[in-house]
Amino acid sequence: MRRITLSRYLIEQQREKGSLPGDLRLLIEVVARACKTISVAIGKGELAGVLGGAGSDNVQGEAQKKLDVLSNDILLEANEWGGHLAAMASEEMDDPHPIPNRYPKGEYLLVFDPLDGSSNIDVNLSVGTIFSVLRCAEGMEPTEQAFLQPGTKQVAAGYAVYGPSTILVLTTGDGVDCFTLDREQGSFVLTQPKMSIPEDTKEFAINMSNQRFWEPPMQRYVNDLLLGKEGPRGKDFNMRWVASMVADVHRILTRGGIFMYPLDSKMKDKGGKLRLMYEANPMAFIVEQAGGAATTARQRIMDVQPSSLHQRVPVVLGSKNEVAMVTKYHQS
Ligand code: AHM
Ligand code: MG
């Protein structure tokens, strides 16, 4: 079997399709390298003393885990000096991180959730890294304003899952490909080219404990799923909830499904739970590139014009026809 490493894949994309600028290729390679480093730290777990709380809060008032902080530092350090970035922003930092003056600057903006699903760290379940790449408009200072572009402007997005194996899923706007980390060789190898999400599904993912706080259309929709064969949907549904978006989305990319973190009355003033710039947008780009759909239940996620870096949105994504069904419930 032809073994295609991530480096070879990126070089071939650049050469054959001309679709991948050199700086973007470098950026993706550097992010992938950082993910390998994070994967090693997570793999060592308690042995490396990386589990547990960091004793600090992030800008959203959430308690940071040691691995949240460590993963953020790894991504910052890896990406600072290559000359491909104008600035970075992260779930774990209040403001964008400018490239230090001693390094050259590039045209890209990198946004990431360094460790998604942190509540799963200490219980040894899958966690991941999510990232999104934008271009900094010419002549614009890479301040928060430069980042506030809708998801349609993303030039690349991806996520890593640190699970039984470490995988990296990537799109540059030409489909979605999945790589598996060969731990002995230290390289990501293409294992699932051109991922595609089935249009229909019988599996949903939602945190059911929030049911009574959802808006009425979402309550009606999920009730109808639960009624199964006897209800209006005429089929039984299965449910999964890992509480790591990366793992839930990866399952959907592999076998279909619908993932929802809808608006609920507890966080109505915040706009939702998941963050637009570094959770919803990159996942929406990937899901759409794999033939699925991603909405807020009312609007395509990638069309939302961000008003702040840490903005939150409701998220409904996955199998196309099921996502459309959710929109229908919200229209009636
Ligand atoms: P995090 O980035 O702080 O880890 O939070 C995001 C995570 C998602 O991965 C997951 O889908 C969701 O929060 C789980 O939330 P809950 O614990 O409310 O079920
Ligand atoms: Mg997250």
Side-chain angles (χ1 to χ4, degrees):
M1 196 184 96
R2 213 160 70 108
R3 196 179 146 99
I4 301 178
T5 61
L6 177 67
S7 302
R8 174 168 175 182
Y9 163 94
L10 292 171
I11 288 172
E12 287 181 351
Q13 269 218 340
Q14 188 184 1
R15 194 189 295 149
E16 283 161 26
K17 299 188 185 146
S19 57
L20 198 68
D23 265 12
L24 184 54
R25 175 165 73 82
L26 175 66
L27 190 165
I28 293 168
E29 291 230 40
V30 173
V31 170
R33 209 152 50 224
C35 290
K36 277 188 237 171
T37 311
I38 297 171
S39 170
V40 170
I42 289 171
K44 290 203 170 125
E46 195 71 284
L47 298 176
V50 293
L51 303 188
S56 50
D57 284 353
N58 67 12
V59 60
Q60 357 235 347
E62 298 158 343
Q64 290 176 306
K65 300 277 187 186
K66 282 185 200 162
L67 271 170
D68 284 324
V69 178
L70 185 69
S71 308
N72 194 59
D73 289 347
I74 289 171
L75 279 155
L76 290 182
E77 230 176 273
N79 281 285
E80 256 182 3
W81 50 270
H84 49 284
L85 285 180
M88 290 178 259
S90 153
E91 174 178 337
E92 303 304 334
M93 302 182 299
D94 303 15
D95 302 310
H97 176 90
I99 300 301
N101 281 334
R102 59 184 183 282
Y103 300 125
K105 289 172 195 58
E107 62 172 317
Y108 293 105
L109 299 168
L110 175 65
V111 207
F112 47 82
D113 176 354
L115 207 72
D116 180 59
S118 336
S119 72
N120 279 326
I121 292 172
D122 296 343
V123 291
N124 201 26
L125 287 177
S126 292
V127 288
T129 296
I130 311 173
F131 68 94
S132 158
V133 185
L134 295 159
R135 250 192 208 101
C136 188
E138 236 183 283
M140 194 162 186
E141 281 300 308
T143 56
E144 174 168 355
Q145 198 56 38
F147 284 86
L148 303 182
Q149 307 177 37
T152 48
K153 298 279 188 200
Q154 292 172 101
V155 294
Y159 64 82
V161 183
Y162 313 111
S165 46
T166 288
I167 52 127
L168 182 77
V169 171
L170 178 70
T171 186
T172 55
D174 180 28
V176 180
D177 297 297
C178 175
F179 303 80
T180 303
L181 179 63
D182 180 329
R183 294 184 206 270
E184 278 77 45
Q185 304 273 346
S187 49
F188 279 107
V189 179
L190 182 61
T191 43
Q192 275 169 280
K194 298 284 165 248
M195 297 183 92
S196 149
I197 302 176
E199 290 186 356
D200 294 294
T201 184
K202 289 168 135 188
E203 197 162 68
F204 69 101
I206 197 163
N207 184 338
M208 283 296 296
S209 69
N210 294 322
Q211 188 175 25
R212 68 189 189 283
F213 303 111
W214 301 332
E215 296 180 302
M218 190 51 82
Q219 303 227 16
R220 278 198 301 275
Y221 169 71
V222 174
N223 266 335
D224 287 351
L225 299 184
L226 296 176
L227 288 172
K229 269 199 184 104
E230 285 74 47
R233 299 302 306 277
K235 59 179 181 181
D236 288 335
F237 281 79
N238 186 25
M239 199 202 88
R240 287 285 184 276
W241 184 250
V242 186
S244 280
M245 190 191 198
V246 280
D248 280 314
V249 168
H250 193 64
R251 184 186 58 255
I252 288 169
L253 264 119
T254 308
R255 67 178 191 212
I258 184 165
F259 168 94
M260 293 165 283
Y261 214 118
L263 200 60
D264 75 40
S265 55
K266 289 185 274 110
M267 36 131 127
K268 206 164 175 153
D269 47 334
K270 289 186 178 166
K273 154 107 188 192
L274 298 174
R275 278 57 53 114
L276 174 62
M277 303 285 304
Y278 40 83
E279 290 176 329
N281 266 341
M283 290 313 203
F285 190 18
I286 291 166
V287 164
E288 283 197 13
Q289 282 292 318
T295 72
T296 64
R298 295 187 165 87
Q299 183 192 3
R300 184 186 179 209
I301 284 175
M302 289 208 287
D303 284 337
V304 175
Q305 172 60 49
S307 53
S308 69
L309 194 55
H310 300 287
Q311 178 174 344
R312 296 171 188 252
V313 280
V315 173
V316 177
L317 59 77
S319 293
K320 212 182 196 155
N321 294 339
E322 208 51 45
V323 174
M325 187 66 84
V326 176
T327 312
K328 221 160 114 191
Y329 276 74
H330 284 75
Q331 282 163 345
S332 56

